[in-house]
Amino acid sequence: MLGQKVCRQFARTGNCKYKGCKLAHVVDKDGQHNQKSGGASNDVSSSNSETEFRKWRNNIPLEPKSARALGRNLAVFFQESERLIKIDANLMQDVISCLSKEGGLKRIRELIEQEFHNMSTAVKASLFETQILPFFQSISHPDVLASLVLEQSVGTIYNIIFGINGRRAIPLFSCILDVLTAASKCEETTVAYLERSLVVFSRMLESNSTAFVQESLIPLAKGFEEVFIAIYESNGQGPLYEAREYLERIQQCLAIGSSLPAVYPASKIVKEKPAVAFVISREPPGGRHDNDHADICNIKIMPTFQEIMSSRTEYLPVKDPMQWCIPGLDGLLDKNFRLLREDTIGQLRDAIQPELQKLLTSNVSTPKNEKQHQLRTYIYDTARVVNLSFDKLSGLSFEVQFPQPPNVHKMAANKRQEWWQISKRLQADALVCLADSQGCITFCTTVGSEKGRKPGEQKREPDGLWKNEKTAAVFLRLVEQDDESIQHILNNYRVYTPPTFSLVEFPGVLLPSFQPTLLALQSMKKTRNLPFSEFLAPSDPNVCGSVGVPPPIYALKPGFSFKLRCLMNDNADLELKPGQPFDIDKLQKNSSLDRAQAVALVNTLQRRIGLIQGPPGTGKSYTGVSLVKVLVTNRNGADIGPVICVCYTNHALDQLLEDLLESGITSQIIRIGSQSKSEKLEPFNLRVVAGNLEKTRKERRGRYELGRRLDEFETDYDGLFPKLRTTNSGIAIKIHLKMNYIHHHEQLFGVDVDGFQKAGSSNPQTIIRQWLRSGQHSNGNPRHLELLQTANIYQLSMEEREALHRHWVEEIRDDLHAQTQQLFSDYYTTKLEFDSIRDELDLRCLRKADVIGVTTTGLARNLNLLRRVRPKVVLCEEAGEVLEAHILTSLLPSIEHVILIGDHLQLRPQIQNYELSRENRRGEQYSLDMSLFERLVEPGSDTAIHLPYSTLETQRRMHPSIAQLVRDTLYPQLKDSPNVFEYPRVSGMLKRLFWLDHKSAEADTSNVDAMATSHWNDHEIDMAAALANHLIKQGVYKSGDIAILTPYLGQLHRLRRHLSTSFAVVLGERDQDDLEKAGFGDNDDTQTNTPIAKATLLKTLRIATIDNFQGEEAKVVVISLVRSNEQNKCGFLRTSNRINVLLSRAKHGMYIIGNSATSSHVPMWARVIEILRGSGSFGNILQLQCPRHPEFPIEVSEPDHFLQYSPEGGCDLRCINRLPCGHACVQKCHSELLHNAVYCPEPCLRPRKGCDHLCLKRCGDPCPAKCNFPVFKAERVLPCGHLEPNLPCWQDQDLSSVRCHKAVEKVVPVCKHQVVVYCYIDVSLADYKCKIQCSADLPCGHTCKRQCQAKNVEGNFLRVPTHAKPAVMDKVPALHVMLLVMSTAAIRDVGTNVGSHVHPVQKRSACLHVHTVHVPCLVLPLVTTYRVLSAARRSYPAVCGNAEIGSHEVDFILGQLYKDINLDENPCIFPRCGHFLTMESMDAQMDIKRYYVVDANEKPVAIATSSEPFSMKDIKTCAICRGSLRDVSRYGRQVRRALLDESTKKFILYVNHEYVPLAQDVPRQIKLLQDKPGDATTRTFSLDSPINIGGTPENQIRTMLNLLNKQDRTRWSNIIRLRDRIGSYLRKVGEEEQPFNRVRFMVEIARKRRGATGTFSFDETILHTKGFHLALALIVRLDIALLADFLSLRRGANHVPINSELILDFQSNRNACDILVKSATASHRIPQQVEGHIFLAQLYALEQSHCRSPKIALDFLTKAHAALDVARGLCTAHRNQTKGLSDEIDATERMLRGSTFYTAVTTEERLEVISAMAREFSGTGHWYYCQNGHPFTIGECGMGMEMAICPECHAPVGGNNHQHAAGVSHATDLDQTLRDLRIG
């Protein structure tokens, strides 16, 4: 980024004597006091440059007439000027300013008025090299010519060179021609001399308006042409391009025919043939109305009255160049201008015509918003101008008032406000039109509430539209600030009886979206400087066929080649020389580009017009980023300048620039425009960067002077405005008569011949009124004004007096209007100069950038500024979606290389007028929606030019089955990347691709309403919503993974309204704009009654129209086709472009909902349906699949089927998993995400800390912070000595928290009154108020009856707001004690008076007497069960009498039958499936010996101590049907153990999975934080108050963040979000959250309920503490980085007040380090031990640097060194486990020595460790179990390199030579689980 200005004294001496210097003090790497500044200065090339400038300026005389010539010193003078100009912008502006003044012009004349004709050629050559050339170099420096603030000075210099009629220029350039003619044509210096001379000659002609008529200059131009040809013939293709460019300008200016040879070979035309087309005769442009001209430069952008009322059809050029009225470049610009204007302005013209017709005829009101045209309008009748306003920054604005709409004026004020705000009418920058009955048309834009307000004027609230119930008012600003428009507004502004007009609003039409582009096309037509015109618009219309495109001009300079090392993975050198063979295989193999991308990149770099077609998902953006990377890397080698990146939308531009930032290509990026939504790009916005740039002296001076002049304009207007309001007042007429008609003035206001004064002369208005009324009526016609002006005014008739009075008023008004017009004219000239200073700052920033990002409209708006940057490369993404007119305006004159990346088979540019579209048969001849990219790649005609292009071939987005739909229809060469074959199945669905066919008709849009312009289908809305809801319930897809697409805004609107009740619905910016333009407001969207799922799941669901989803993607896409009608009208989706985009957005799965009969007649749809039918992915029934029970099929065809068959996203079975709390889940089968969100209604079993009381809440509710269980202790004594036997548990644990309410007597120290108060009240505190009666003697002699509290008042009371109910308030009168007490309020017995807030408790429906149990019946069918009372079962055993059951085999080993078994000796076990076995057989099958110790009879007698982990897959199933045996109570322990181990594995995987991205993000965010400039935030420390950074780390962060946010809210925004993520992770991986600990809590609760004695314990080594250590280390590291950043910002602050003390207390941070060290030591985690000691040392280092006590600072330093010694010892002993930490120890030691403040160190070794962990945790294996069953990875213990132990239980796990210890086994189950989770 660009920096601030350098301090020259510091740069020169290394010290600065100025206290609080605002300039930059930086020591460079070499220790020199030098700085590179991107502000007003460039590189400081000389430490005494200011002194040298003053010395140089001394040679400029103050009195030019008497000055002596410099003589031989003239050469030194101009050589020094050239050197000074190159130092920085300050000196450049000062040097040119000095040269343009009289003294400087004296030196210039001294140079150019020498007697050249008397000099020899050698003398001329020497003079040219030593004097003329340095002078030319100075005045033609690119920064000088591009400067806006030097424009006038440069023009003055060039005019002096020219002289009168060229008298100075001719001998000067004749001398130069002699030098060039005699010079060697083979030397490079001759070419440089020629080029520099031509630059000055060309600029001189452009600066002088009479130069083109000077025939004496023609021989000079021809002489330069001869020199050019001679050099060309000698050097061949030398670096003559710029010389040719300037020479052609000279010849064009002097109207000389050019015969210059081509500098580079002409493009090869492969074929040429006459066009074969029928040419239709068309009426040429011009003559239809006053705005119809043959030259587009003469056409006004906004339509005129005649144009609107004209009945003749506008001239619209067709796409065929053979039928253009103007061939070549002019014809191309003419076509694009006229068609674009018709597409935008044409709608306005047609919409205004009916209203204007009404005004001109009957003037009868018509119904508002009648839908007669494509464009909606709002019309407000009888509007009038009621106020004028002028602002020095925004100019003229005026207030228009009109009646409230009929449906609004009867509303209440708040309803009116709501109506205007919701309707979004007349919002800021809305386009409106003023039309009156006189045929006057004025276009304006609305102004915000603050714009247009004069200084001193009362602030206008934004309520003018709704404040008054009868009228509404809005401020407007003219679109075209010309004299005619201003005069029209002035004529309509009258205080009395102002004329009325109609105000027409065009909602959704924004002027900036088309006006800048149209103006840019006109400008290009004037200058005719469009590059690549030989390709874009050949002068010969018969030229056609394939054309070869040569390399960019900058790439053809001798010795240049593209360095591609930046793309190589192995960092090898690779060069690309245009026109020479290139090893494409080497680039492909050693870079991340595939074959097609590498070929496209190489081809694009070698073509002036590079075209890349990228089918969906083939990496267009990645290829574009790679191209920018190459261009930025080679910028200096070819003087490319900034790369202009152009996109059509702000969203696409933000994505491109963010990709450039994230790829680390460059940080020198400038983003032009204020519509960016990206926080990352905010620091790179041009306004932000330019705002931090230091202005030069000239700029500061000019801004001050121009600002003062603008203030004067405001003052002048303030004097004119009252006069404009009172043009017919008596005083105005009196002044006017005195100045212009003295005899009339004397007759009215003077003394008569007899010396008498007129009665009432003190009031001119009264005299004039009496004069007007005293005249006699006349029957004849009034005399002419000329006669009335000389007649006696008292001898005039009444009619003549009124006519003369009107004439006076009109003259006054005309005179004031003329003054106002002149004021505005002078203002806009001055404002332009004022803005040019800001543009100069912008220009300096843009020159320093590597990449400039801008939208197409933003580029057109800043065309003049960007032209001065002179970039050579422009890159446009999604070029197939951009109008040709927008691309043409982006081709600046200096562009030598244009890169267009897009796909003409996807969406075409969007236009408004369907009559101009290719999709319309009538509009196909115009094809306005054909992009330039499509026209060059596939023009669609043999009569057009074809340019070569590259196509990307490998798609990385869609699953192959989805890609087949576009491969078999549009892209036969499209290949699939290997990664798309590995996509997982769509969760919850049987097929990933399916067309759900239906016959439900779309809605009838015949009724005229807000929706009639669009279509919708209610069945598809319900079906798409149900399907999306089903997918989200799977718990697999994150925010934005699911998208619903539709072609129609009506469907989009209803989908948003339907889905927003359940999900956080996100619309794209363009979709939101389109909905508002179409009238679909969001005021009717339901935002209430949101179900709990929205709060617990909170998934962002993206819905969009197809046209606004190009370039985006989603994992699963649901498509609603909408159209379903008997006519089979397919609508928008009949074109292959939209179908292509629609079918290519999905990655994993796509589901189409639509009527196939409506689409099957479209060829592409027919082919798609055929493919889907062939794969079985088409039908009227959609098959779902439960991820947990895939064997049960689920079929749906209606929206209600989802609730019926898959209510929770699974199947209809009950959930078999337990809740996280351990209780059983009672809901239907659902995903883990929904499972974790289930509310548990069971009693809470969580243990309380500090006591053994049970929690009284439900399990799903959070436990109260304090235990309120009553505890009685008869002998309990409080600290005050009183007894308190009854206390709640939490107070019993801490008696200091008890407030003793025993009444005691105390003496108030201040007043000595004895009061009775509660024991806990301290009467000695300052805020205690004594309530005893005062009883003091008053001055009056009476005794004070008031409370004593007034006596104790010291200082003022503050009024404190209370939140108690009025019922519990009581008023207390204020005391008369020096008026210190304003008012007081006492709250009595709040605890008893405030209403109860106890939440209602749900009653449970239960029967207290009847208990039921399940009894299996052995009668077939086996699954039948009967429910009987438990008491009945005890009394009446269930007996089955079916004989067939007796033959059932119940012992597979002995082959025994059920009838042969003695159930008392060998009972049977009856599972739910009905296939029963004997207990012995079932025990053997369940491998019960593995889990229990058995006796001799193989009966379980004790629990086996097995630690080998297992899962639910290890639990046996029924040997006959494989049914579950989980419900058999005998084997409950095995099942619960398996569930517990499963939970533990998930916990371990979560710990590892979540840690890696956090660990990778921490160093990245810290690095970004350290790289951020802190100029803005340093102002935080200018407050004159102490800063206390102490308490918990959270309090510290909160304090620092509050301070920084006052100046810069974005600095810590990202890193604070990261800290919150780490904090959440830390809480989730704590010991209390682990599954085993949860079980322990449940056991403890159960023991308490049973009244068991003793304590319960278990082996705590089974707990996994790794996650806690990792998380704690991350959060401590991040906190230290934030503390260091805050302290460094304070150190860098320029002005820190003396009283601004910084108090630091990092004890809580050090405590966290101690916890980390102790816990890691206990767990033998070496890396975290080392980190804990390093963090401790860093905290000591930070705190000791701000410590006030030297003794404490020394103690901190000692402790820090001790901690580092321990850390270094651990690193030495465990090198492999502590990789990268040694560097951090070294950096911390440098902190302690004071050589550095703080630097976050993340070495390559540490990054490799984290990357290795990412690989291990992503399912690549390397997981093992120790002999005790604890899982670990190789990276955790270093097993491959050193003796290792288990991180959890310290058992040996391995040693050297990659050998593991005995008992270690491979954890295949964890590997499989990792692969199933698809982590990473």
Side-chain angles (χ1 to χ4, degrees), residues 939-1002:
S941 171
D942 292 335
T943 62
I945 283 183
H946 299 252
L947 296 187
Y949 66 97
S950 303
T951 301
L952 308 181
E953 297 177 349
T954 303
Q955 70 89 14
R956 299 167 178 81
R957 173 188 298 162
M958 301 166 280
H959 187 271
S961 61
I962 302 174
Q964 182 187 2
L965 301 180
V966 294
R967 178 167 40 243
D968 292 355
T969 52
L970 296 174
Y971 306 103
Q973 304 299 325
L974 190 63
K975 304 174 185 177
D976 297 319
S977 175
N979 71 293
V980 299
F981 290 91
E982 301 176 1
Y983 281 160
R985 300 174 62 88
V986 178
S987 182
M989 307 298 295
L990 184 62
K991 291 180 175 292
R992 71 169 70 248
L993 176 64
F994 197 84
W995 181 311
L996 180 60
D997 196 20
H998 70 87
K999 303 300 180 184
S1000 300
E1002 64 188 71

Side-chain angles (χ1 to χ4, degrees), residues 1805-1825:
E1805 288 184 315
R1806 292 300 297 168
L1807 294 177
E1808 288 177 3
V1809 169
I1810 296 175
S1811 300
M1813 294 175 69
R1815 291 191 295 271
E1816 291 165 359
F1817 302 154
S1818 62
T1820 58
H1822 305 99
W1823 281 89
Y1824 298 88
Y1825 285 123

Side-chain angles (χ1 to χ4, degrees), residues 339-349 514 518 912:
L339 292 181
L340 180 60
R341 186 175 182 273
E342 180 66 19
D343 184 52
T344 53
I345 301 299
Q347 296 185 90
L348 309 183
R349 178 194 64 220
F514 59 87
L518 292 173
Q912 308 299 322

